[in-house]
Amino acid sequence: MPAVSKGDGMRGLAVFISDIRNCKSKEAEIKRINKELANIRSKFKGDKALDGYSKKKYVCKLLFIFLLGHDIDFGHMEAVNLLSSNRYTEKQIGYLFISVLVNSNSELIRLINNAIKNDLASRNPTFMGLALHCIANVGSREMAEAFAGEIPKILVAGDAVDSVKQSAALCLLRLYRASPGLVPMGDWTSRVVHLLNDQHLGVVTAATSLITTLAQKNPEEFKTSVSLAVSRLSRIVTSASTDLQDYTYYFVPAPWLSVKLLRLLQCYPPPEDPAVRGRLTECLETVLNKAQEPPKSKKVQHSNAKNAVLFEAISLIIHHDSEPNLLVRACNQLGQFLQHRETNLRYLALESMCTLASSEFSHEAVKTHIETVINALKTERDVSVRQRAVDLLYAMCDRSNAQQIVAEMLSYLETADYSIREEIVLKVAILAEKYAVDYTWYVDTILNLIRIAGDYVSEEVWYRVIQIVINRDDVQGYAAKTVFEALQAPACHENLVKVGGYILGEFGNLIAGDPRSSPLIQFNLLHSKFHLCSVPTRALLLSTYIKFVNLFPEVKSTIQDVLRSDSQLKNADVELQQRAVEYLRLSTVASTDILATVLEEMPPFPERESSILAKLKKKKGPNTVTDLEEAKRERSADVNGGPEPAPASAVVGALLLGGLVPERQDRQSTGLFENSVFSVTACAKNEAVRPSSTPSPSADLLGLGAAPPAPAGPPPSSGGLLVDVFSDSPSAAAPLAPGSEDNFARFVCKNNGVLFENQLLQIGLKSEFRQNLGRMFVFYGNKTSTQFLNFTPTLICSDDLQTNLSLQTKPVDPTVDGGAQVQQVVNIECVSDFTEAPVLNIQFRYGGTFQNVSVKLPITLNKFFQPTEMASQDFFQRWKQLSSPQQEVQNIFKAKHPMDTEITKAKIIGFGSALLEDVDPNPANFVGAGIIHTRTTQIGCLLRLEPNLQAQMYRLTLRTSKEAVSQRLCALLSEQF
């Protein structure tokens, strides 16, 4: 071993390490370590004070022993003492020991913090660097509380050296990530941005990391960094490798800094300044151009650095999604990587193209690579790459290539890895439904899907098939024929039996005319699968059997024999036993008419977001390609209307086959059976009719819970149940949609916003009023991907309202494309004062289903208010003039919302009156004045609102020259508080 002088190293440490290495066994090592620990302990406890060198040596030995995996329970104080040394090597070992062994709960943390503060205040760059490194390594909450306010000052200090700035930026980043709430934003934030212009690239790199993390939470504080980042990036990208020699990595100038700057720019939208935006576009074009150049080195480090910058530039292009030329170029560049020999590049290319496929500018360019992606799906060895290929096929799918992509996915599904089969099944089901021009193709696809991967077909998939078949008359016969043929296979998956049982129970009559699928053959085919199925499927088949009793009277006795058998009536499972008992009693006691009513065909289901899509989003997590493709939909409102209201028979029919239709007022008529032997409530109470004895989404085919109540007409009489089912005319206006009254009230004090929204339609308003005239722009948005046909909005006014309010509208296009928006202008004139509001009724057809929506249009008397400024003397003079009982209306009411002064002022101004300051002797009261303008007259109005914060009450007083106007305005304004 070479000699080590006392000034250059620690000979004792070198000897100890050598002894440990020479140990022949674990026992020998432990013996040597224990001997050394005893020696160190005796030295620390000895009377003779140790010099700095000895402390450093023994602390270093303890650190080495700890790194070997042995516990150290002494020596901490000696390490803290080393921090006060003025020698670098001793201070360095002290900080190293503390960083590794001292935890945040240590009793020595206060001493350590004092030593760190002394070093930070010393202005010695070396000591400051050691202290900053220690803070970052420990990174505890206590460290953040102690130093989060000091480090930003060091970072932006003008006299700090580059290495200290660099360490301070990284230290602050570490503390912010550990305890973001303890790092204060202040004046330093505007100064730290300018570090992007620092001459030292190490400082710029550290500052960029810090600013990127801070900008994600506080974008407004750091938005000035965009122009500086673009400027710095431009200088790096356009420089030669020789210009930045210290920061050039295998002929790529400053690749790490370039990547960090590109990530920082992804925190913001495209720059608004044309010059900055143009410079950024030039940078991105240069990066894309360099990717086409021949490599300057064959080493993998060169290609890695070059591609890192390229992929981050493409991520920024995708994030901005505003330059069609760059998006297409990025797509073509990624297309070249799809066949690269490097697996990681192929993976990244597929992942980036998934995001590109969601852009309208690059979708067509992505589609040109479909054959390459399909080939990758078939030939890739790495399962993660194959999964990205599936994601890309899903993202690039549209009506032009849907059948090809679905066929390829089905083909791959037979040999796919088990880990991704369920995801592929969900995607095939979504694509088949979304782009199904011919629903016979959809039925074939889903049945084939169940055949290939039945175990991976979730309940949501077969629920969705049934919903679509029930909602589409044109496919019901084909679906019944197809599932009948599929069930004839010797081995059928249980999910296929469920679909077959449900569809044949509803539409088996459509194929019963063929001798090959007679009622008895259908029953025998289903019953042959009965004993091989689980309890939920058996329960569903029993429901199918009772449906057969209604559809095919000729098999009634056969089915009754099955229901009467001991295996059913005495079944150990209470679910099956209850169904068998109730269904047998229903088939025996109920008359033919009652049986036909109870077991009537299922009504159409309301259209909502597919539960398959919801399941895929949940499986993939947030911010995935699925989220980028699908518009965000609200689930707060139901779809109003439909072909006809659902009668009680439809409700019971839904229960019998495990479905759940929207509750309607017509359900009252289930009282028909209250006095009979068979009670409908028994089914509902025990949920015996569901496919599972536990609560499951099978009750709602979309898996989104029971639909909210739909509007209902008058309850039908029990004697005319079947006649009343068809009494609703599609042209009749629907009752007001749920929640429309609340939305109407919100528009009393505002003119713009969303008036109504459900899963299909969004209605927005933008209006302006001047004196007795107004103009309202009504926007109808189609939230689906399917056209609205026969789209007809109509304004409905009562006779009195037509006399007092003049409305003129222009017709809109009867066809509203998927995702499109149409506008309708309503010209308004107030002829005289009024109290009612017009009703906006919208009728259209969506997917063959008639939709009928009605909402109140927020045209209220206060919209024709013109504010009037008045002095205190004029106000009270006018107030006394309007003192007759017919001219004053007063309302005392409880506050419905928090009593906030500024919000109250805003509502009074939004109501239309002028808010008069310093008029009322009580400064807590609110006083307003204005004039209601009509064609025939002008009506002056004074109002006074007196809040009582202690009682949480208001007293509102309105005085006008007309009693009806006072009452209406008082009623409208009272609802706002």
Side-chain angles (χ1 to χ4, degrees):
M1 180 182 295
V4 180
S5 68
K6 189 171 182 177
D8 298 330
M10 294 170 281
R11 181 177 180 81
L13 175 64
V15 171
F16 174 62
I17 293 174
S18 178
D19 290 347
I20 293 295
R21 288 178 176 174
N22 293 329
C23 288
K24 302 297 184 182
S25 65
K26 185 70 175 176
E27 291 76 12
E29 178 183 311
I30 294 174
K31 184 177 179 180
R32 179 67 181 89
I33 288 174
N34 288 337
K35 178 182 177 182
E36 192 64 38
L37 288 174
N39 178 52
I40 297 173
R41 188 177 277 109
S42 66
K43 294 291 185 182
F44 285 165
K45 289 183 178 181
D47 296 333
K48 185 180 178 182
L50 294 174
D51 60 4
Y53 169 79
S54 299
K55 283 183 182 178
K56 175 184 72 170
K57 178 179 65 174
Y58 293 136
V59 166
C60 210
K61 285 183 179 181
L62 290 176
L63 183 59
F64 178 72
I65 292 171
F66 176 79
L67 295 177
L68 287 176
H70 301 271
D71 292 333
I72 299 297
D73 56 3
F74 69 100
H76 299 75
M77 194 63 202
E78 284 70 18
V80 173
N81 291 337
L82 286 175
L83 299 183
S84 59
S85 171
N86 288 325
R87 300 191 63 177
Y88 170 77
T89 55
E90 295 173 8
K91 191 182 289 285
Q92 179 194 30
I93 295 300
Y95 275 123
L96 181 60
F97 185 93
I98 290 167
S99 299
V100 175
L101 273 89
V102 176
N103 59 50
S104 58
N105 299 323
S106 172
E107 297 176 354
L108 300 174
I109 201 71
R110 184 173 297 179
L111 291 173
I112 296 170
N113 286 351
N114 287 336
I116 291 175
K117 285 180 180 178
N118 292 334
D119 283 337
L120 291 179
S122 69
R123 315 312 294 176
N124 183 321
T126 304
F127 293 173
M128 292 175 73
L130 287 174
L132 290 168
H133 293 166
C134 180
I135 296 171
N137 285 331
V138 176
S140 64
R141 184 176 182 86
E142 290 74 13
M143 287 285 188
E145 290 175 347
F147 302 108
E150 297 294 324
I151 297 174
K153 298 176 184 177
I154 297 173
L155 179 60
V156 297
D159 57 346
V161 299
D162 294 333
S163 62
V164 172
K165 287 182 183 178
Q166 190 172 352
S167 298
L170 294 176
C171 181
L172 190 60
L173 174 60
R174 172 73 171 89
L175 294 183
Y176 183 81
R177 286 174 175 170
S179 307
L182 297 179
V183 178
M185 297 292 117
D187 296 338
W188 64 272
T189 56
S190 58
R191 297 173 63 186
V192 77
V193 169
H194 293 284
L195 290 178
L196 295 177
N197 272 338
D198 198 280
Q199 294 182 347
H200 193 277
L201 287 192
V203 175
V204 179
T205 304
T208 305
S209 297
L210 175 64
I211 294 169
T212 302
T213 302
L214 295 175
Q216 290 170 355
K217 293 285 183 68
N218 309 280
E220 287 299 315
E221 295 271 358
F222 300 93
K223 62 183 180 182
T224 55
S225 64
V226 173
S227 58
L228 297 176
V230 171
S231 175
R232 174 63 78 174
L233 181 65
S234 176
R235 279 178 275 167
I236 294 172
V237 169
T238 56
S239 67
S241 58
T242 54
D243 297 339
L244 302 170
Q245 287 185 358
D246 292 341
Y247 288 87
T248 296
Y249 181 78
Y250 286 87
F251 304 101
V252 181
W256 285 276
L257 178 55
S258 301
V259 168
K260 289 178 184 291
L261 290 170
L262 289 165
R263 285 185 181 169
L264 171 59
L265 293 172
Q266 290 175 53
C267 297
Y268 294 93
E272 296 179 359
D273 186 343
V276 177
R277 189 166 183 167
R279 195 170 184 182
L280 177 58
T281 302
E282 290 177 7
C283 290
L284 296 173
E285 287 178 342
T286 303
V287 173
L288 293 174
N289 291 335
K290 286 185 175 181
Q292 300 292 335
E293 296 175 359
K296 296 180 179 179
S297 171
K298 293 183 179 180
K299 294 189 175 182
V300 68
Q301 291 90 339
H302 170 73
S303 62
N304 285 345
K306 185 177 176 182
N307 291 330
V309 177
L310 173 62
F311 274 101
E312 209 59 52
I314 291 174
S315 295
L316 179 60
I317 293 169
I318 295 171
H319 171 75
H320 285 172
D321 194 20
S322 59
E323 297 289 340
N325 180 46
L326 287 178
L327 285 163
V328 173
R329 285 195 61 188
C331 180
N332 294 335
Q333 181 62 53
L334 292 172
Q336 296 177 17
F337 288 144
L338 291 179
Q339 294 179 309
H340 199 278
R341 60 185 178 83
E342 176 60 42
T343 305
N344 290 333
L345 277 182
R346 297 197 300 273
Y347 178 93
L348 291 171
L350 289 167
E351 189 175 49
S352 299
M353 289 185 80
C354 285
T355 316
L356 274 175
S358 64
S359 170
E360 59 178 319
F361 302 118
S362 55
H363 182 77
E364 291 300 320
V366 172
K367 282 168 56 180
T368 60
H369 301 284
I370 184 171
E371 295 298 335
T372 307
V373 179
I374 290 173
N375 184 58
L377 189 65
K378 295 176 179 178
T379 60
E380 276 290 347
R381 295 181 179 180
D382 192 316
V383 63
S384 61
V385 180
R386 293 198 297 272
Q387 187 166 3
R388 293 288 81 78
V390 171
D391 291 341
L392 181 53
L393 286 175
Y394 176 78
M396 70 167 62
C397 187
D398 58 21
R399 294 195 183 279
S400 65
N401 56 20
Q403 295 197 11
Q404 179 189 2
I405 287 177
V406 169
E408 292 293 344
M409 283 188 170
L410 282 173
S411 175
Y412 171 64
L413 190 57
E414 298 191 33
T415 57
D417 297 82
Y418 295 111
S419 59
I420 62 173
R421 283 195 180 187
E422 184 181 2
E423 185 181 324
I424 296 174
V425 167
L426 292 173
K427 288 181 174 177
V428 168
I430 292 169
L431 295 178
E433 176 189 345
K434 188 175 181 180
Y435 300 113
V437 179
D438 179 4
Y439 274 87
T440 59
W441 171 75
Y442 170 76
V443 171
D444 290 337
T445 299
I446 299 300
L447 292 181
N448 198 20
L449 187 66
I450 295 174
R451 179 187 62 80
I452 294 172
D455 290 335
Y456 298 90
V457 175
S458 62
E459 290 183 333
E460 286 84 359
V461 174
W462 73 266
Y463 294 164
R464 190 67 175 164
V465 179
I466 290 170
Q467 187 226 10
I468 289 173
V469 170
I470 286 175
N471 285 14
R472 299 194 64 87
D473 298 339
D474 55 339
V475 80
Q476 289 166 358
Y478 180 82
K481 177 176 178 293
T482 305
V483 296
F484 175 78
E485 292 172 351
L487 286 171
Q488 293 181 9
C492 293
H493 194 274
E494 192 167 332
N495 282 336
L496 183 59
V497 178
K498 292 177 183 177
V499 175
Y502 207 118
I503 291 177
L504 291 179
E506 290 293 324
F507 311 113
N509 60 309
L510 300 178
I511 62 171
D514 190 335
R516 293 171 295 179
S517 54
S518 65
L520 187 59
I521 293 176
Q522 289 186 41
F523 171 74
N524 289 335
L525 180 60
L526 285 175
H527 197 53
S528 66
K529 315 291 183 185
F530 186 89
H531 303 289
L532 304 173
C533 297
S534 61
V535 170
T537 306
R538 292 185 190 185
L540 186 146
L541 289 178
L542 288 178
S543 300
T544 301
Y545 298 166
I546 193 63
K547 284 274 188 171
F548 275 3
V549 171
N550 176 49
L551 291 177
F552 313 123
E554 61 268 33
V555 299
K556 180 176 180 179
S557 59
T558 306
I559 292 173
Q560 286 178 335
D561 290 341
V562 170
L563 296 175
R564 198 178 289 116
S565 65
D566 288 348
S567 61
Q568 304 303 335
L569 293 181
K570 298 181 180 180
N571 197 295
D573 187 89
V574 67
E575 176 90 9
L576 297 180
Q577 185 186 112
Q578 184 173 353
R579 288 195 183 213
V581 171
E582 292 182 352
Y583 293 166
L584 177 61
R585 196 64 177 161
L586 176 63
S587 67
T588 306
V589 175
S591 66
T592 306
D593 291 340
I594 290 178
L595 202 62
T597 302
V598 173
L599 301 174
E600 196 172 55
E601 186 179 302
M602 283 279 286
F605 288 88
E607 287 291 342
R608 284 167 290 170
E609 182 188 47
S610 168
S611 61
I612 310 175
L613 191 59
K615 184 177 178 70
L616 181 62
K617 287 179 181 178
K618 183 177 179 181
K619 183 176 178 63
K620 295 293 283 183
N623 302 323
T624 60
V625 175
T626 307
D627 294 328
L628 292 171
E629 286 190 317
E630 299 299 327
K632 295 180 180 176
R633 294 188 172 99
E634 295 290 330
R635 287 167 49 188
S636 58
D638 186 28
V639 180
N640 296 312
E644 63 223 12
S649 59
V651 175
V652 179
L655 287 170
L656 291 176
L657 277 186
L660 185 64
V661 296
E663 294 185 38
R664 303 174 190 261
Q665 190 172 338
D666 305 79
R667 189 175 282 207
Q668 295 173 4
S669 53
T670 57
L672 281 170
F673 304 102
E674 284 179 359
N675 297 322
S676 66
V677 177
F678 173 76
S679 171
V680 175
T681 57
C683 287
K685 177 180 68 177
N686 293 312
E687 299 190 28
V689 293
R690 299 196 179 195
S692 174
S693 56
T694 58
S696 83
S698 61
D700 172 17
L701 292 189
L702 296 180
L704 296 174
S717 63
S718 59
L721 177 63
L722 295 180
V723 176
D724 288 341
V725 169
F726 300 99
S727 63
D728 182 44
S729 169
S731 61
L736 291 178
S740 62
E741 287 288 352
D742 293 337
N743 282 345
F744 176 86
R746 282 195 284 269
F747 275 81
V748 170
C749 293
K750 69 174 186 177
N751 291 331
N752 306 327
V754 176
L755 177 64
F756 171 81
E757 187 170 12
N758 64 13
Q759 299 306 115
L760 306 180
L761 176 69
Q762 184 186 68
I763 304 174
L765 295 182
K766 185 177 182 181
S767 49
E768 52 187 10
F769 295 87
R770 187 180 183 86
Q771 296 187 351
N772 68 313
L773 300 177
R775 176 180 293 174
M776 181 175 286
F777 297 88
V778 187
F779 302 92
Y780 307 98
N782 182 349
K783 297 174 63 180
T784 73
S785 57
T786 304
Q787 279 188 337
F788 290 167
L789 303 177
N790 302 331
F791 189 85
T792 311
T794 308
L795 284 176
I796 303 172
C797 301
S798 65
D799 293 340
D800 289 341
L801 189 59
Q802 287 181 2
T803 304
N804 299 325
L805 191 68
S806 173
L807 301 175
Q808 295 180 346
T809 61
K810 294 182 180 179
V812 299
D813 193 328
T815 301
V816 183
D817 292 329
Q821 186 183 78
V822 296
Q823 173 185 307
Q824 186 177 36
V825 181
V826 181
N827 292 316
I828 309 161
E829 182 182 15
C830 180
V831 180
S832 182
D833 60 277
F834 59 96
T835 57
E836 300 176 13
V839 173
L840 176 63
N841 175 247
I842 302 102
Q843 300 183 5
F844 58 95
R845 287 203 166 271
Y846 167 75
T849 305
F850 177 75
Q851 304 293 334
N852 195 347
V853 178
S854 291
V855 293
K856 286 174 74 172
L857 206 58
I859 302 175
T860 50
L861 186 59
N862 67 293
K863 299 296 183 184
F864 306 96
F865 228 141
Q866 293 298 306
T868 304
E869 295 291 339
M870 301 177 73
S872 176
Q873 182 178 355
D874 296 335
F875 178 87
F876 285 108
Q877 182 180 354
R878 180 62 177 158
W879 184 266
K880 292 177 181 178
Q881 292 173 356
L882 298 171
S883 57
S884 67
Q886 293 80 15
Q887 294 174 327
E888 179 184 289
V889 173
Q890 190 174 89
N891 185 21
I892 300 174
F893 55 93
K894 191 79 173 174
K896 300 176 184 176
H897 308 288
M899 299 178 72
D900 185 276
T901 301
E902 295 303 317
I903 294 176
T904 303
K905 289 180 179 179
K907 286 185 176 180
I908 292 175
I909 295 171
F911 190 69
S913 70
L915 184 65
L916 306 181
E917 302 283 354
D918 302 322
V919 170
D920 197 291
N922 184 349
N925 294 343
F926 303 90
V927 176
I931 299 174
I932 297 288
H933 288 259
T934 70
R935 185 200 295 173
T936 56
T937 185
Q938 295 183 4
I939 305 164
C941 174
L942 304 177
L943 67 88
R944 186 184 189 195
L945 182 67
E946 300 168 82
N948 185 332
L949 292 174
Q950 186 175 359
Q952 291 290 297
M953 302 280 288
Y954 286 101
R955 179 166 66 183
L956 174 64
T957 307
L958 270 129
R959 292 187 179 183
T960 73
S961 55
K962 195 169 182 179
E963 183 179 7
V965 174
S966 299
Q967 291 177 346
R968 181 56 178 160
L969 293 179
C970 185
L972 287 171
L973 190 55
S974 297
E975 289 297 316
Q976 302 304 307
F977 305 101

